[in-house]
Amino acid sequence: DVVMTQSPLSLPVTLGQPASISCRSSQSLVYSDGNTYLNWFQQRPGQSPRRLIYKVSNRDSGVPDRFSGSGSGTDFTLKISRVEAEDVGVYYCMQGTHWPPISSCFGQGTKLEIK
Amino acid sequence: QLQLQESGPGLVKPSETLSLTCTVSGGSISSSSYYWGWIRQPPGKGLEWIGSIYYSGSTYYNPSLKSRVTISVDTSKNQFSLKLSSVTAADTAVYYCARLEMATRSVDYWGQGTLVTVSS
């Protein structure tokens, strides 16, 4: 099984400052088609998760451009260039390379809060 | 706009079977481009994958739950369902239904979630 490990698990950030979340997989997420299927989700308090980023760095429609994804192989990063109050919540990475998912495809989650 | 809506009892007794249905609107469950899945989240904890189903009926279950889980699809009603047997308090969670997009190998739509509490 591929294990997804996020860090930090808690991230206090000052409004307007940048934030960075790391996600590491226990195996390479490069698929045989050459794509890397790593996704990022945001879960605001009391809401369902919503996808922010797919295939490492592609933002979903409506996602502010202050969110960016990067990485390759087994190491990935979600960056927020300037944190806003509406960014408070828990962020999850999810691997899709081993498809369809059958077990631990999500990271543990990183809780972003305003300092 | 695609919408997914979970429905079912919010309270289940220990040792009984949890049953939930997800109704899909604004799109066809028979599309060859998607799988349909169930994900749960215990209170205050992270996301746990339960399983998924293709419109043809092929299913994929989390090995840790496989002996207790059944996911089925009813294309005539545009619905898919979850049954989890022999529940305990550890199965108390918000249960989400979701659409899995094959092109991105990701979840692109989530239901609003429904809290199921296991208690006598």
Side-chain angles (χ1 to χ4, degrees):
Chain A
D1 283 359
V2 179
V3 178
M4 307 300 293
T5 303
Q6 290 182 228
S7 63
L9 300 185
S10 178
L11 184 57
V13 183
T14 301
L15 285 173
Q17 292 301 300
S20 180
I21 300 170
S22 171
C23 176
R24 291 186 172 175
S25 60
S26 60
Q27 301 175 28
S28 174
L29 296 186
V30 180
Y31 188 55
S32 55
D33 63 4
N35 288 308
T36 301
Y37 294 97
L38 187 283
N39 313 283
W40 289 98
F41 295 87
Q42 174 194 61
Q43 187 176 31
R44 290 171 171 154
Q47 296 186 13
S48 305
R50 71 153 174 161
R51 191 175 67 184
L52 299 175
I53 303 280
Y54 61 92
K55 290 199 289 185
V56 180
S57 59
N58 295 275
R59 268 192 308 275
D60 272 278
S61 174
V63 174
D65 61 8
R66 64 178 182 275
F67 289 92
S68 64
S70 64
S72 62
T74 59
D75 289 346
F76 304 93
T77 303
L78 175 70
K79 290 183 179 176
I80 309 173
S81 59
R82 294 172 306 279
V83 170
E84 298 188 6
E86 66 178 17
D87 300 334
V88 165
V90 181
Y91 293 80
Y92 296 92
C93 62
M94 174 200 170
Q95 69 85 15
T97 294
H98 303 272
W99 181 265
I102 60 172
S103 58
S104 55
C105 54
F106 292 105
Q108 317 99 300
T110 295
K111 186 174 184 178
L112 185 149
E113 61 181 21
I114 304 301
K115 220 186 275 186
Chain B
Q1 177 77 348
L2 189 82
Q3 291 188 325
L4 297 92
Q5 180 67 58
E6 305 89 350
S7 59
L11 180 64
V12 181
K13 290 182 168 55
S15 80
E16 294 190 345
T17 296
L18 177 160
S19 296
L20 295 174
T21 296
C22 182
T23 300
V24 179
S25 57
S28 174
I29 204 167
S30 298
S31 170
S32 59
S33 300
Y34 307 102
Y35 286 73
W36 306 89
W38 289 97
I39 299 155
R40 71 180 183 179
Q41 185 172 37
K45 295 189 178 180
L47 301 167
E48 180 183 25
W49 195 270
I50 299 172
S52 60
I53 191 165
Y54 198 49
Y55 77 97
S56 62
S58 298
T59 53
Y60 308 86
Y61 299 140
N62 186 327
S64 69
L65 298 170
K66 189 173 184 177
S67 63
R68 299 193 291 131
V69 171
T70 302
I71 297 176
S72 58
V73 64
D74 187 336
T75 55
S76 67
K77 295 182 179 179
N78 228 34
Q79 295 176 333
F80 63 105
S81 298
L82 168 71
K83 291 189 186 300
L84 181 66
S85 63
S86 305
V87 298
T88 69
D91 295 309
T92 294
V94 174
Y95 286 75
Y96 295 100
C97 61
R99 189 177 82 169
L100 289 61
E101 183 179 41
M102 290 174 65
T104 60
R105 292 169 168 253
S106 177
V107 177
D108 63 343
Y109 279 92
W110 299 70
Q112 67 181 30
T114 186
L115 174 63
V116 179
T117 302
V118 179
S119 175
S120 55

